[in-house]
Amino acid sequence: MTPATIAMNNEAVRVGSERLLRQLRAEGLHYRLWVTGTASGSTVHMRIPELAPEMRDRILRVLQGRGVRLDIEDAQIV
């Protein structure tokens, strides 16, 4: 994969992830999301303030099965 192809794939993964999270966002979920990737795959990174285990589980259920790695953590507010 060329760097341009990786960047386009990362953007497609980001847009798709945002769409899948639409319902949770409508319920009040606030988060920071970005995607990194290489020729071997993409990783969706999310940082959520005051992330509860139940919400983490819901997010995982929404985003799993898309062929990407997930990095979902509580946001560290400093």
Side-chain angles (χ1 to χ4, degrees):
M1 286 182 138
T2 67
T5 304
I6 293 168
M8 285 189 303
N9 182 67
N10 289 344
E11 181 62 9
V13 169
R14 186 194 66 77
V15 169
S17 297
E18 292 283 3
R19 286 184 182 154
L20 290 170
L21 292 165
R22 185 179 301 148
Q23 176 62 40
L24 295 178
R25 205 170 38 251
E27 293 175 22
L29 178 66
H30 296 280
Y31 58 86
R32 180 172 171 244
L33 183 143
W34 70 98
V35 178
T36 59
T38 65
S40 63
S42 296
T43 301
V44 174
H45 305 271
M46 290 184 74
R47 297 299 178 265
I48 301 107
E50 301 177 14
L51 177 62
E54 299 81 18
M55 182 55 72
R56 186 177 195 287
D57 291 343
R58 286 186 69 192
I59 293 167
L60 286 172
R61 283 194 302 272
V62 168
L63 296 179
Q64 281 181 331
R66 300 184 54 234
V68 297
R69 288 181 291 278
L70 301 172
D71 171 31
I72 301 169
E73 300 291 335
D74 186 49
Q76 298 298 320
I77 300 174
V78 285

